[in-house]
Amino acid sequence: MGEGIDVGDALAAAPYDQWLPFIPAGGSSRPSARYKVFDFRTFKWSVLSPARDSTQLNTENNTTERSFPALAGHSLVNWKNNIVVVAGNTRTSSNKVSVWLINVETNSWCSVDTYGKVPISRGGQSVSLVGSRLIMFGGEDSKRRLLNDLHILDLETMMWEEVKTGKGGPSPRYDHSAAVYADQYLLIFGGSSHSTCFSDLYLLDLQNLEWSQPDTQGAHVNPRSGHASTMIDENWYIVGGGDNASGSTDTIMMNASKFVWSVVTSVPARDPLACEVFVMKLKPRNLVQPRLLQSPAAAAAAASVTAAYAVITATDEKTRDIVATDDLDVKRVQPAVYSKKITTEVDALNGEKGKLESRLAEVRDENSKLKDRLDMVKLSHSELTKELKSVQNQLTAEGSRCQKLESQIAAAHKRLESAGSLENELEVLRQQISQVEQNMTTAQRQKSGGVWNWVAGSAEVSDDE
């Protein structure tokens, strides 16, 4: 690490991507690990002892304590003029997540009543801020149960909401890290369970609440938990932490627009990061527009381009590092010796760069071919769409004809039903007519028999006379 640098020393003289300890200004003493506040304006340590704000007492957490409660496993975010303290383990038992505000202007604190579906108490969670919304993920509750739930606290209304996401999210964990990229994507990295540490990366789209696990490129990243992280532009820096065997000595960075991991620098084992302030001068890097979600074909081509671009960029940066190192050491060594050495290394790097540029050209050619194939697929899709629309129109016409035929059949059925009723009535009339005819025939026979009997009777009378 070398000797620490004075506050007055120009940072322009510091090398890129190396951790250097700050010497506190004015001889202020270094604190015990993680118990004081460091002011970057004055470069001095001070004890933050906020007093309880009596005008902001609440009904849920109203206590007589004047000092801020002792916490572990909590989270901090900066919102307006306040430090928002969320969750964590306290001496007093509570089954719900607590929230405190520390006003840095008035040096006062208060506990806050929250509403809605307040999450269960926990420690080791991650907290990220998007506007006035605080996003909390995971952690470990008071019964040592691991969590992978997601909750959002609106700091304007202090209303909690439990968010239901799609499947495929991170497993339950604690002591992980989280960051928000482009105000749309929540990134979750690492952490641990009770038996192992993780090195996986998850992404949550805050618009459709769907999880994904991006394919990453670049350096191999070891599992770790308990680390610190910060997002600067599109680069997510992660430092410290470790697994069950040892601590992590490397500082890693992930480019959130390309999903490329790289190792920024490393520190010796057992470095005293806990009680000192370290600064790292970041190397300028090119920024690109967010480009996270792609089709499978485009993603495959982009992965190859990204890998080649990352190596070329690293080559360029290494070349600049060599030149920069020579500039810093030129006063202490013979220029000719380093000039010859640098020339040789630069020639070798330029040769490697030429090969990589050739590979990049091949990848671009493959990408162009994929684009041509995609255009053909789009054209075929357009023709199939037209044909499908024509078939759908024909089906619609046939459907109309079927409806008309069904109406005609229904009308015919009704007529047939009416015809059956008429036939029944006609049959009844026929039976009635037949009965009438039978009655008339019987009556005529009876009348005819009477006349003949009368005639026969007259004849017998005449014979007697």
Side-chain angles (χ1 to χ4, degrees):
M1 297 292 294
E3 297 296 331
I5 63 174
D6 248 346
V7 176
D9 293 344
L11 287 177
Y16 286 116
D17 294 343
Q18 291 187 23
W19 287 108
L20 296 175
F22 258 134
I23 297 176
S28 62
S29 61
R30 294 173 180 173
S32 302
R34 298 178 178 88
Y35 281 95
K36 287 188 178 181
V37 176
F38 188 74
D39 191 332
F40 281 94
R41 294 172 297 183
T42 62
F43 293 99
K44 291 183 179 180
W45 285 104
S46 61
V47 178
L48 180 63
S49 301
R52 187 177 182 114
D53 189 344
S54 59
T55 64
Q56 296 182 356
L57 292 177
N58 58 75
T59 57
E60 180 183 357
N61 299 306
N62 189 7
T63 65
T64 59
E65 294 183 2
R66 303 296 299 178
S67 59
F68 195 84
L71 293 173
H74 52 285
S75 300
L76 299 179
V77 294
N78 178 29
W79 180 63
K80 295 184 177 179
N81 296 326
N82 301 296
I83 298 175
V84 183
V85 185
V86 183
N89 303 313
T90 63
R91 294 176 182 175
T92 59
S93 60
S94 174
N95 59 351
K96 298 294 184 181
V97 164
S98 299
V99 178
W100 298 268
L101 294 180
I102 301 176
N103 191 309
V104 295
E105 291 187 347
T106 62
N107 195 27
S108 61
W109 70 275
C110 68
S111 55
V112 181
D113 283 331
T114 57
Y115 309 95
K117 195 166 184 179
V118 182
I120 60 174
S121 60
R122 64 192 66 197
Q125 68 289 324
S126 65
V127 167
S128 306
L129 188 65
V130 181
S132 62
R133 296 190 306 163
L134 187 149
I135 304 174
M136 183 177 71
F137 174 82
E140 181 186 42
D141 68 7
S142 58
K143 298 181 180 179
R144 299 202 69 218
R145 291 179 300 187
L146 298 178
L147 307 169
N148 64 343
D149 51 352
L150 187 72
H151 299 265
I152 293 180
L153 174 64
D154 188 331
L155 296 176
E156 297 289 352
T157 62
M158 290 299 169
M159 183 72 68
W160 281 104
E161 176 188 1
E162 183 178 8
V163 180
K164 299 297 182 181
T165 61
K167 297 181 179 179
S171 60
R173 63 190 63 200
Y174 70 108
D175 286 349
H176 53 280
S177 59
V180 174
Y181 176 58
D183 289 337
Q184 182 179 347
Y185 304 100
L186 176 67
L187 299 167
I188 300 293
F189 169 74
S192 64
S193 65
H194 294 149
S195 60
T196 187
C197 293
F198 306 111
S199 62
D200 47 5
L201 175 69
Y202 287 87
L203 180 145
L204 176 66
D205 190 325
L206 297 176
Q207 292 185 353
N208 58 28
L209 298 179
E210 293 292 333
W211 286 104
S212 62
Q213 197 167 5
D215 293 329
T216 59
Q217 305 285 334
H220 173 73
V221 176
N222 293 323
R224 66 194 68 197
S225 67
H227 47 276
S229 71
T230 184
M231 179 75 75
I232 301 178
D233 296 326
E234 63 182 14
N235 297 319
W236 191 16
Y237 293 87
I238 296 173
V239 61
D243 56 17
N244 295 330
S246 61
S248 298
T249 59
D250 55 348
T251 298
I252 57 177
M253 181 195 75
M254 191 199 71
N255 187 297
S257 67
K258 306 170 189 168
F259 297 119
V260 176
W261 285 107
S262 60
V263 176
V264 180
T265 188
S266 296
V267 297
R270 301 184 180 276
D271 212 66
L273 289 174
C275 58
E276 297 183 1
V277 173
F278 284 74
V279 62
M280 183 170 67
K281 181 180 177 182
L282 299 179
K283 184 178 300 179
R285 291 175 171 86
N286 295 327
L287 300 179
V288 298
Q289 294 297 323
R291 181 170 48 86
L292 293 174
L293 305 179
Q294 299 174 327
S295 64
S304 299
V305 174
T306 296
Y309 176 80
V311 176
I312 291 173
T313 303
T315 302
D316 291 342
E317 291 175 352
K318 186 175 181 181
T319 303
R320 290 195 295 269
D321 282 348
I322 294 172
V323 176
T325 303
D326 180 67
D327 290 339
L328 291 174
D329 297 339
V330 70
K331 295 181 180 179
R332 298 194 300 267
V333 299
Q334 294 295 328
V337 176
Y338 272 86
S339 177
K340 183 177 179 180
K341 181 180 178 181
I342 291 173
T343 301
T344 303
E345 292 183 357
V346 169
D347 290 341
L349 291 173
N350 284 335
E352 184 179 354
K353 180 179 178 182
K355 294 178 182 179
L356 292 173
E357 287 177 342
S358 176
R359 173 55 183 159
L360 182 60
E362 293 177 0
V363 171
R364 286 173 176 168
D365 183 60
E366 293 176 3
N367 194 23
S368 177
K369 292 179 180 179
L370 287 174
K371 184 177 180 300
D372 293 339
R373 290 178 58 186
L374 182 61
D375 292 338
M376 293 180 62
V377 170
K378 288 181 178 179
L379 179 61
S380 176
H381 180 266
S382 177
E383 294 176 353
L384 289 174
T385 302
K386 292 179 181 179
E387 184 175 352
L388 177 62
K389 188 174 182 180
S390 176
V391 172
Q392 288 175 341
N393 292 335
Q394 293 178 6
L395 290 174
T396 302
E398 292 296 328
S400 299
R401 290 181 57 190
C402 288
Q403 290 179 354
K404 291 180 181 178
L405 289 174
E406 289 176 354
S407 299
Q408 294 176 359
I409 291 172
H413 277 302
K414 290 182 179 179
R415 288 197 298 270
L416 287 175
E417 291 175 357
S418 300
S421 177
L422 291 174
E423 288 180 356
N424 292 335
E425 293 179 2
L426 182 60
E427 182 64 25
V428 172
L429 290 175
R430 287 174 179 171
Q431 292 177 358
Q432 292 177 354
I433 291 172
S434 176
Q435 185 65 38
V436 170
E437 289 177 349
Q438 290 179 2
N439 292 337
M440 291 179 62
T441 301
T442 302
Q444 289 177 357
R445 288 178 179 174
Q446 290 177 354
K447 289 180 181 180
S448 299
V451 173
W452 286 109
N453 289 334
W454 180 75
V455 173
S458 299
E460 290 178 358
V461 172
S462 298
D463 291 337
D464 291 339
E465 291 178 354

